[in-house]
Amino acid sequence: MPKITINGKEIEFEKGMTVLQACELANVEIPRFCYHEKLSIAGNCRMCLVEMEKSPKPIASCAMPAAEGMNIKTNTSFVEKARKGVMEFLLANHPLDCPVCDQGGECDLQDQSLYYGVDKSRFIENKRDVKEKYMGPLIKTQMTRCIHCTRCVRFATEVAGVPEIGAIGRGENMQITTYLEKSMESELSANVIDLCPVGALTSKPYAFEARPWELKKTESVDVMDAVGSNIRVDTYNWEVKRILPRLNNDINEEWISDKTRYSCDGLLKQRLDVPYIKKENKLQKSNWDEALDLLIKKIKEVQPNEIAGHVGDMINMENALGFKKLFNLLKSNNLEFREKKFYINSSEKINYIFNSSINGIEQSDLILLIGTNPRHEASMLNARIRKSFVQKKVPIFSIGDPGDLTYEYKIISDKTDEVKKIINNESELSKKILSAKNPIIIIGESVLELESGKYIFEEIKNFLIQNNKISQEWNPINILIQNASTVGLLDLKIIPDQKENNFTFFNNLENKKFKLLYLLGSDNLDFKKDNEFVVYQGSHGDRGAEVADIVLPSATYTEQEGLYENLEGRVQECKKASYPIGEALEDWKIFNRIIKKMGLNDTTNFDQLRKEVLNSIPNFSELNELPKNVDSKNSKIQSNFVSEKITIRELDYYYTNSISRSSKTMSECRQIRQKIKKKDGTNN
């Protein structure tokens, strides 16, 4: 490996590194504003100046390739003078309004000016004043603070794939703005707030809510989709004030979706804080004893096979297991978690996870989408696909029209017939898949809802097995699960292993066979209530509470501990950041109350539930790690082909669950998107 000398110390570096990256290897901190390791190099700010032997002037370390034999110095008076000169220019037009800036305490400019700034300025002319820009309901602008680092521009173009931020003017008159000052449309738009090294772009919903040093910070995971993005929940007293991304290069890198970031204001709205009982066709406030007594009375009035339960999209694994145990005591196995009828072969783990892994997308050399729109179903996974496309020019094909994605793709067909052609080696795509070293096939829930959903999954899997494309080193077949709880619930056998289209729950629900329906955080189950007695246990007065006869208030994902399994099968811990509101309880505690009221002694505490969960997960290795030894048993399952059109179910992106539907910010984003749809006539 080549060697470079930094401050008299010789170190080895990888070919292609910059001087700045080499300095980081030597544990030498280089100040920077425009440089970011996930973005292209701009070399705008010049703050990263260092001294290089035989160079008459300082060099920008972020843009200078490291080379064998270089002698770099970062701590000389020459370097310090250069950096102080740069800082003086940066502060010349800055308003210096730190006391009223939301970036205060988290501002790179503020921190670095402490070391390289001066106590007074030589700049006596009038400071630049820049008109504020409109960037939508999420981003608050104060463009007079902007130092023209262009991080936001590069992120929108390179990572988000929606180039809606650019620069106009030159030099001191340069301004960052959106096209015609319209709202940003990308699902990742608010990441520019984290990237901004000054207070030019700040969070509009969070404006003047709290100072960073006042907040309690809790590391957790996101449950808005099945990706399992790593997040930090910031709370003031018991109130969640904001959610920020945590670095995890295997999952979300250092980005999160706007829904993950801003649906948190929905945690405070439409909350259920006391039990309710329906009297005279109206929900009225009650208490725990009265509500549970009525529930137990109704349980005793019906037969076990007439009791059914549905688990919602954000339920952690411990609570789901507690729910299953309760139903075992009730001698009922009528449990379901799917919101619609879609085929899942739950007999082995390979059948319902993203086997190639999120990070593995970067290793792919061909991607085939079947009945999925990853931009809306899993925004952070979609960003990985774009990254692979941009950096490696990976060809992307789609069966079914996904709409406006953030990368180029080719629609092969919108019929299931194309899948049959691939399986029978009658398609050009068959040859491309078989010749690819690391192909990726992503199957969405929309196609699994079709009559031929079973055929598509099983035959594609069989096609890959027969052609030796599935191995321990690489598995191309992936299911794009949409809900955070789905993989964990499958591992816990909430529905029994099945190889057939087992829709017994849905059929019985449609045929009015259930007399008592228990909804555990379930707000998206589509059914028409008739004579069923409905119990809703959840955190928000949403769709489930609207049809309920009894409402039991429970905690949100930020108010209780719990494990979640993301779409890769990676088990992660969601930490308690706040406390349940009012009389609301954690779900497992409610189950224990019901069991005690029934006179049974089968209650379990949280630690017992966690232990049982970890013992129940197949192929489990350890927390935060991918499952081990996920392989196929190569069992052929019979299925029938049906020629159908593949229509990708459109998601109401900002309204996918009870929390986001309660969020004022998500409502504003949704209204803007609907206006854009009406204006351009698209479904983007």
Side-chain angles (χ1 to χ4, degrees):
M1 291 179 72
K3 295 180 180 179
I4 188 173
T5 302
I6 297 173
N7 297 336
K9 181 182 177 183
E10 193 177 68
I11 65 161
E12 292 182 340
F13 66 93
E14 293 181 13
K15 195 174 179 180
M17 278 186 167
T18 63
V19 171
L20 186 148
Q21 291 170 323
C23 288
E24 289 181 337
L25 290 178
N27 293 320
V28 175
E29 186 175 349
I30 303 293
R32 83 290 299 265
F33 290 118
C34 68
Y35 175 79
H36 192 280
E37 62 181 6
K38 301 292 184 184
L39 305 175
S40 62
I41 294 170
N44 292 337
C45 72
R46 320 308 285 183
M47 196 65 203
C48 64
L49 294 175
V50 296
E51 184 180 350
M52 184 174 71
E53 191 177 58
K54 298 180 181 179
S55 175
K57 59 183 181 179
I59 64 166
S61 60
C62 71
M64 176 63 73
E68 175 75 43
M70 272 186 174
N71 188 4
I72 303 295
K73 296 177 182 178
T74 70
N75 54 5
T76 63
S77 58
F78 179 68
V79 172
E80 186 176 355
K81 184 180 178 182
R83 291 175 181 171
K84 282 187 173 181
V86 171
M87 181 60 69
E88 188 174 10
F89 274 114
L90 292 175
L91 294 177
N93 274 309
H94 196 80
L96 305 177
D97 56 349
C98 301
V100 294
C101 179
D102 266 329
Q103 198 83 356
E106 300 174 316
C107 179
D108 292 346
L109 184 66
Q110 193 180 59
D111 293 341
Q112 292 182 37
S113 66
L114 181 67
Y115 296 97
Y116 301 104
V118 292
D119 59 350
K120 59 183 178 180
S121 175
R122 292 180 288 175
F123 188 82
I124 59 174
E125 288 79 8
N126 291 328
K127 293 199 176 195
R128 178 190 69 207
D129 185 30
V130 183
K131 181 185 174 184
E132 303 315 324
K133 312 299 182 186
Y134 175 73
M135 293 189 179
L138 306 180
I139 302 168
K140 181 176 181 249
T141 64
Q142 191 79 35
M143 303 313 291
T144 304
R145 301 171 184 161
C146 180
I147 61 171
H148 304 159
C149 72
T150 69
R151 280 185 177 184
C152 55
V153 177
R154 285 175 282 148
F155 173 84
T157 304
E158 297 164 13
V159 180
V162 187
E164 45 197 354
I165 304 180
I168 57 174
R170 299 190 66 177
E172 185 184 68
N173 296 319
M174 176 178 164
Q175 296 184 29
I176 304 296
T177 182
T178 57
Y179 180 66
L180 296 178
E181 293 195 31
K182 66 172 187 164
S183 175
M184 293 182 70
E185 297 175 33
S186 168
E187 293 78 18
L188 310 180
S189 65
N191 287 289
V192 299
I193 297 168
D194 301 330
L195 286 169
C196 185
V198 296
L201 305 176
T202 55
S203 174
K204 191 177 283 187
Y206 175 69
F208 309 118
E209 285 287 321
R211 306 299 272 176
W213 53 84
E214 297 175 318
L215 301 173
K216 176 191 171 188
K217 302 167 178 62
T218 307
E219 294 185 348
S220 191
V221 293
D222 172 52
V223 300
M224 294 295 115
D225 56 30
V227 174
S229 298
N230 284 212
I231 59 174
R232 194 188 83 195
V233 182
D234 289 359
T235 54
Y236 184 78
N237 293 329
W238 63 272
E239 213 174 301
V240 176
K241 287 296 184 181
R242 64 177 183 178
I243 288 176
L244 297 176
R246 272 193 305 127
L247 177 65
N248 188 322
N249 284 320
D250 290 330
I251 303 175
N252 57 303
E253 297 187 292
E254 53 191 278
W255 326 117
I256 52 173
S257 71
D258 291 347
K259 183 165 61 175
T260 298
R261 187 187 298 267
Y262 283 120
S263 59
C264 61
D265 65 333
L267 294 167
L268 306 173
K269 310 291 185 186
Q270 292 184 225
R271 290 298 304 271
L272 300 171
D273 56 352
V274 295
Y276 288 83
I277 292 176
K278 185 168 284 184
K279 298 177 182 177
E280 298 176 357
N281 209 31
K282 185 180 178 181
L283 284 172
Q284 298 182 19
K285 288 186 179 182
S286 181
N287 56 64
W288 278 106
D289 286 333
E290 186 183 11
L292 295 184
D293 285 342
L294 178 60
L295 170 59
I296 292 166
K297 178 175 176 282
K298 292 294 180 180
I299 290 172
K300 291 178 178 179
E301 290 175 356
V302 299
Q303 298 298 315
N305 63 349
E306 296 173 328
I307 302 173
H310 192 271
V311 185
D313 57 328
M314 296 183 291
I315 302 298
N316 64 47
M317 297 181 73
E318 290 90 346
N319 288 332
L321 182 61
F323 193 55
K324 184 180 180 182
K325 284 177 167 290
L326 174 63
F327 266 67
N328 288 339
L329 291 173
L330 299 178
K331 299 179 180 179
S332 171
N333 61 355
N334 299 320
L335 286 175
E336 184 58 81
F337 61 83
R338 291 171 292 183
E339 295 163 358
K340 296 182 180 292
K341 296 179 182 178
F342 68 87
Y343 174 74
I344 283 283
N345 180 350
S346 56
S347 61
E348 50 182 340
K349 197 154 187 158
I350 187 179
N351 296 331
Y352 53 84
I353 64 172
F354 201 92
N355 293 286
S356 303
S357 80
I358 297 170
N359 194 31
I361 292 172
E362 296 184 31
Q363 303 171 34
S364 65
D365 49 4
L366 181 145
I367 298 174
L368 171 61
L369 309 175
I370 305 178
T372 182
N373 176 352
R375 180 174 176 180
H376 292 165
E377 294 170 16
S379 301
M380 294 317 309
L381 185 142
N382 187 69
R384 283 301 179 112
I385 297 175
R386 172 169 172 79
K387 186 178 180 181
S388 187
F389 171 77
V390 170
Q391 295 185 354
K392 297 175 60 180
K393 306 299 178 187
V394 173
I396 301 170
F397 304 93
S398 179
I399 301 177
D401 185 1
D404 187 19
L405 299 180
T406 56
Y407 37 81
E408 294 177 12
Y409 62 95
K410 183 180 180 181
I411 298 176
I412 305 299
S413 173
D414 63 351
K415 292 287 195 68
T416 56
D417 302 71
E418 186 63 31
V419 179
K420 190 176 183 180
K421 287 180 183 178
I422 293 171
I423 293 161
N424 295 330
N425 279 311
E426 297 171 356
S427 170
E428 284 295 316
L429 201 52
S430 303
K431 299 173 185 176
K432 291 178 179 178
I433 292 170
L434 296 178
S435 60
K437 184 181 178 182
N438 294 326
I440 284 181
I441 299 173
I442 303 175
I443 301 173
E445 289 185 12
S446 291
V447 80
L448 296 175
E449 291 174 18
L450 298 176
E451 195 175 344
S452 56
K454 179 181 178 181
Y455 173 90
I456 290 170
F457 173 77
E458 296 295 347
E459 293 302 322
I460 284 179
K461 177 186 170 186
N462 194 52
F463 166 76
L464 294 169
I465 290 173
Q466 287 180 344
N467 290 280
N468 299 315
K469 299 302 290 185
I470 294 180
S471 64
Q472 288 291 333
E473 289 72 38
W474 188 258
N475 189 338
I477 193 162
N478 303 283
I479 302 296
L480 184 50
I481 294 296
Q482 295 182 12
N483 292 339
S485 60
T486 297
V487 174
L489 297 178
L490 283 163
D491 277 352
L492 292 176
K493 309 298 180 187
I494 296 299
I495 56 174
D497 287 348
Q498 54 188 42
K499 296 181 180 180
E500 303 298 325
N501 281 326
N502 185 354
F503 301 135
T504 306
F505 174 91
F506 295 98
N507 296 333
N508 288 340
L509 187 63
E510 289 168 9
N511 296 325
K512 308 299 178 184
K513 298 265 181 92
F514 300 136
K515 292 183 180 179
L516 192 150
L517 181 61
Y518 199 141
L519 303 177
L520 177 62
S522 175
D523 292 284
N524 295 331
L525 180 64
D526 188 17
F527 78 103
K528 291 183 180 179
K529 184 185 176 183
D530 193 6
N531 294 319
E532 304 96 339
F533 188 86
V534 178
V535 182
Y536 175 75
Q537 181 173 316
S539 59
H540 285 72
D542 200 63
R543 296 168 181 172
E546 287 176 3
V547 297
D549 297 287
I550 297 177
V551 173
L552 305 177
S554 66
T556 66
Y557 75 100
T558 60
E559 297 166 356
Q560 53 187 331
E561 305 278 336
L563 298 176
Y564 288 87
E565 212 172 337
N566 79 340
L567 50 76
E568 308 167 287
R570 191 189 302 266
V571 182
Q572 301 182 105
E573 188 175 12
C574 186
K575 298 285 184 67
K576 185 174 183 176
S578 180
Y579 300 95
I581 190 171
E583 296 180 24
L585 297 170
E586 295 169 47
D587 289 304
W588 66 273
K589 290 182 179 179
I590 298 174
F591 304 145
N592 277 349
R593 285 200 175 193
I594 295 170
I595 293 167
K596 284 181 180 178
K597 278 273 186 184
M598 295 176 70
L600 303 172
N601 296 316
D602 291 328
T603 57
T604 52
N605 60 40
F606 184 81
D607 291 336
Q608 289 174 315
L609 288 170
R610 167 94 30 117
K611 189 177 180 180
E612 284 189 55
V613 164
L614 292 174
N615 290 332
S616 301
I617 300 172
N619 308 95
F620 177 70
S621 54
E622 57 183 288
L623 289 180
N624 306 313
E625 296 295 327
L626 290 170
K628 59 183 179 182
N629 302 321
V630 180
D631 205 353
S632 175
K633 298 171 185 174
N634 195 15
S635 55
K636 177 72 174 177
I637 295 175
Q638 296 298 320
S639 54
N640 298 318
F641 172 75
V642 179
S643 179
E644 300 172 85
K645 184 178 179 179
I646 296 176
T647 303
I648 299 169
R649 175 159 48 91
E650 187 180 351
L651 281 181
D652 194 349
Y653 177 75
Y654 294 108
Y655 267 23
T656 51
N657 54 60
S658 60
I659 295 174
S660 62
R661 285 191 288 268
S662 301
S663 165
K664 181 184 175 185
T665 309
M666 293 294 97
S667 179
E668 290 174 359
C669 292
R670 183 172 181 258
Q671 287 173 16
I672 289 170
R673 175 161 288 185
Q674 287 175 337
K675 285 179 183 177
I676 294 169
K677 281 184 182 181
K678 288 177 183 178
K679 193 174 285 186
D680 63 15
T682 66
N683 292 319
N684 302 340

